[in-house]
Amino acid sequence: MKYLAAYLLLALAGNESPSASDIKEVLSAVGIDAEGERLEKLLSELEGKNIQELIAEGSAKLASVPSGGAGAGAAPAAAGGAAAADAPAEEKEEEKEESDEDMGFGLFD
């Protein structure tokens, strides 16, 4: 990923076809030693390709991936059963939060 990031930085700066030495120079500026084999693999994969077209193609592919943000809504319950149905759900959520504390650490500790 770091090799691709360096390649993209160079392309953004106007270098349409960054070389291995260009990428090594960018990486060494931030204290990263470049592995020749991985760098050559990246360059061979990107050789002769337009980076803007690759980004557009990748964005189109990502747009088709479901993100899980929208789920099916539950049917509304009858007025009398709504209060009874909500209470057990709240208890289960509280139990789940307590179980995280039992492990000795939390998500944001």
Side-chain angles (χ1 to χ4, degrees):
M1 199 64 164
K2 55 190 167 192
Y3 304 109
L4 181 58
Y7 185 94
L8 291 172
L9 281 172
L10 288 164
L12 187 64
N15 186 347
E16 293 182 17
S17 182
S19 67
S21 62
D22 294 334
I23 295 172
K24 285 181 182 180
E25 187 177 327
V26 168
L27 293 174
S28 66
V30 292
I32 297 174
D33 293 327
E35 296 177 25
E37 185 178 312
R38 287 186 172 188
L39 184 55
E40 292 302 322
K41 180 173 173 47
L42 173 75
L43 290 174
S44 67
E45 293 285 330
L46 295 175
E47 186 177 350
K49 296 180 181 176
N50 183 335
I51 197 68
Q52 299 299 330
E53 291 174 5
L54 291 175
I55 291 171
E57 185 180 316
S59 295
K61 287 180 181 179
L62 283 175
S64 67
V65 176
S67 62
D86 289 340
E90 290 176 11
E91 290 177 16
K92 288 180 183 179
E93 287 180 22
E94 289 176 14
E95 290 175 14
K96 191 172 185 178
E97 290 175 10
E98 291 174 6
S99 67
D100 289 343
E101 294 175 1
D102 292 340
M103 288 189 278
F105 63 91
L107 182 62
F108 299 106
D109 289 341

